[in-house]
Amino acid sequence: RGPAGRGMAAAAFERRVLRSAAEHHYLRVRLELPDGGARPNAAQFKQLVVTALRELHGEVGAALPVDVLTYEEKTLSAILRVISSGLVKLWSALTLLGFYQNRRCAFRVLQVKPSGAGCLPPGVSSGSKLAR
């Protein structure tokens, strides 16, 4: 006999998946380069994002439309915009990237939002692009 037959109610589990209606997601990320050295400029940063996508998801991943809306070379921080259907691919690729120019590195995803509100710095619109 099952648990219900012993006076214990069987637990009912319900799985809910909430999908955002947003067309894009915005990620605030920081690149960590613990051993110092040269810092990537905006174009090199964008290329690093594409490389991360290619390494994990192949050419299909590398073709994912990702925009670098802001990039601050001093702090190696950026705001990325990706179509919502590509969020998991981008996040996983950034998380698993371990090297930049043969040096250890790590991307830290600091914030994710389904819209630009609260994620974008003043003066940056969700339609602007720094690098594509």
Side-chain angles (χ1 to χ4, degrees):
R1 291 175 50 176
R6 287 182 248 157
M8 296 171 54
F13 293 98
E14 180 179 332
R15 181 174 183 217
R16 290 187 182 186
V17 178
L18 302 176
R19 299 207 185 273
S20 172
E23 183 180 345
H24 292 94
H25 271 76
Y26 298 82
L27 292 85
R28 184 182 299 271
V29 300
R30 183 179 65 238
L31 178 63
E32 295 182 358
L33 295 168
D35 61 353
R39 295 171 171 266
N41 62 30
Q44 291 166 326
F45 186 90
K46 167 65 181 201
Q47 188 57 46
L48 186 58
V49 171
V50 172
T51 298
L53 284 162
R54 181 176 288 114
E55 285 181 6
L56 188 60
H57 301 291
E59 292 303 318
V60 172
L64 185 68
V66 177
D67 297 313
V68 179
L69 299 181
T70 66
Y71 175 64
E72 189 177 318
E73 191 172 330
K74 180 180 176 183
T75 62
L76 300 175
S77 298
I79 295 176
L80 308 178
R81 178 178 60 195
V82 64
I83 57 172
S84 292
S85 61
L87 174 64
V88 172
K89 280 185 180 178
L90 176 59
W91 197 337
S92 60
L94 294 177
T95 301
L96 294 173
L97 186 76
F99 289 92
Y100 169 68
Q101 294 183 344
N102 296 318
R103 299 181 341 215
R104 300 285 301 157
C105 76
F107 268 105
R108 301 291 180 226
V109 177
L110 306 173
Q111 186 178 30
V112 178
K113 294 223 175 200
S115 67
C119 193
L120 299 177
V124 176
S125 72
S126 60
S128 66
K129 290 179 218 160
L130 176 66
R132 190 150 172 76

